[in-house]
């Protein structure tokens, strides 16, 4: 998932059924999946300081994983200084792949690698050295605006 979980969906099938080609709503499951974050709280769902989505703790993660017969939720969306952070007895991992976020945070980035036996390896990395950064040219393929 991008961010986290939602009280509006108990199963992966319910999440998969959400229509995603739309403007992000201000509330509801689509909003929650984009904005919710794990926190060290107990007792269900909490109000998110982001102003959208929720915060949730280990009890929510444990129940979701058990209901869906999965071992771990992999998410991003939240800066982690060492590139990744496992929480709730490894029931959830946050992987942050943008080193030195906004050129000022000083954080590492990470990529989660899974082998054929689902053995996990976290590859962490720092930012590109300033001397090697290159600004894309104006005619770069990255300048095209998507048509959705």
């Amino acid at each position: 998932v991008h961010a986290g979980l939602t009280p509006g969906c108990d199963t992966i099938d319910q999440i998969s059924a959400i229509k995603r080609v739309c403007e992000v709503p201000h509330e509801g499951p689509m909003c929650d999946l984009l904005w919710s974050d794990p926190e060290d709280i107990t007792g269900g769902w909490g109000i998110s300081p982001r102003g959208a989505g929720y915060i949730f703790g280990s009890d929510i993660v444990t129940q979701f994983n058990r209901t869906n017969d999965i071992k771990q939720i992999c998410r991003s969306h939240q800066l982690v200084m060492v590139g990744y952070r496992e929480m709730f007895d490894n029931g959830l991992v946050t992987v942050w792949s943008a080193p030195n976020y906004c050129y000022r945070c000083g954080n590492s980035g990470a990529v989660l690698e899974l082998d054929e036996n689902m053995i996990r390896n976290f590859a962490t990395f720092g930012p590109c050295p300033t001397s090697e950064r290159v600004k894309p040219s104006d005619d770069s393929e990255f300048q095209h605006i998507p048509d959705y």
Side-chain angles (χ1 to χ4, degrees):
V1 295
H2 173 73
L5 300 174
T6 173
C9 296
D10 296 320
T11 67
I12 293 171
D13 287 341
Q14 289 171 324
I15 292 172
S16 295
I18 295 172
K19 293 181 179 163
R20 290 174 173 76
V21 182
C22 66
E23 289 291 323
V24 176
H26 295 284
E27 59 186 21
M30 176 73 150
C31 174
D32 301 342
L33 292 169
L34 292 171
W35 291 105
S36 295
D37 295 307
E39 290 287 338
D40 290 320
I41 63 169
T42 57
W45 301 93
I47 296 171
S48 174
R50 291 183 188 271
Y54 293 90
I55 57 172
F56 56 92
S58 63
D59 56 336
I60 299 297
V61 169
T62 299
Q63 181 61 46
F64 186 86
N65 289 357
R66 185 178 302 127
T67 297
N68 291 282
D69 194 28
I70 62 175
K71 293 179 181 174
Q72 188 175 63
I73 298 165
C74 182
R75 66 181 293 271
S76 56
H77 182 71
Q78 192 174 24
L79 183 125
V80 181
M81 291 305 292
V82 296
Y84 69 96
R85 180 180 179 203
E86 293 185 288
M87 298 176 73
F88 314 136
D89 295 322
N90 297 331
L92 180 139
V93 63
T94 298
V95 180
W96 184 258
S97 62
N100 196 28
Y101 186 58
C102 295
Y103 301 104
R104 62 186 168 104
C105 291
N107 62 289
S108 294
V111 173
L112 170 59
E113 301 171 318
L114 299 170
D115 73 10
E116 61 276 359
N117 298 310
M118 299 299 285
I119 303 298
R120 299 173 309 183
N121 178 55
F122 293 96
T124 59
F125 50 91
C128 177
T130 305
S131 63
E132 294 179 25
R133 289 188 199 144
V134 177
K135 180 182 177 197
S137 65
D138 289 337
D139 62 344
S140 167
E141 66 180 281
F142 299 107
Q143 298 297 321
H144 298 287
I145 299 173
D147 62 355
Y148 53 83

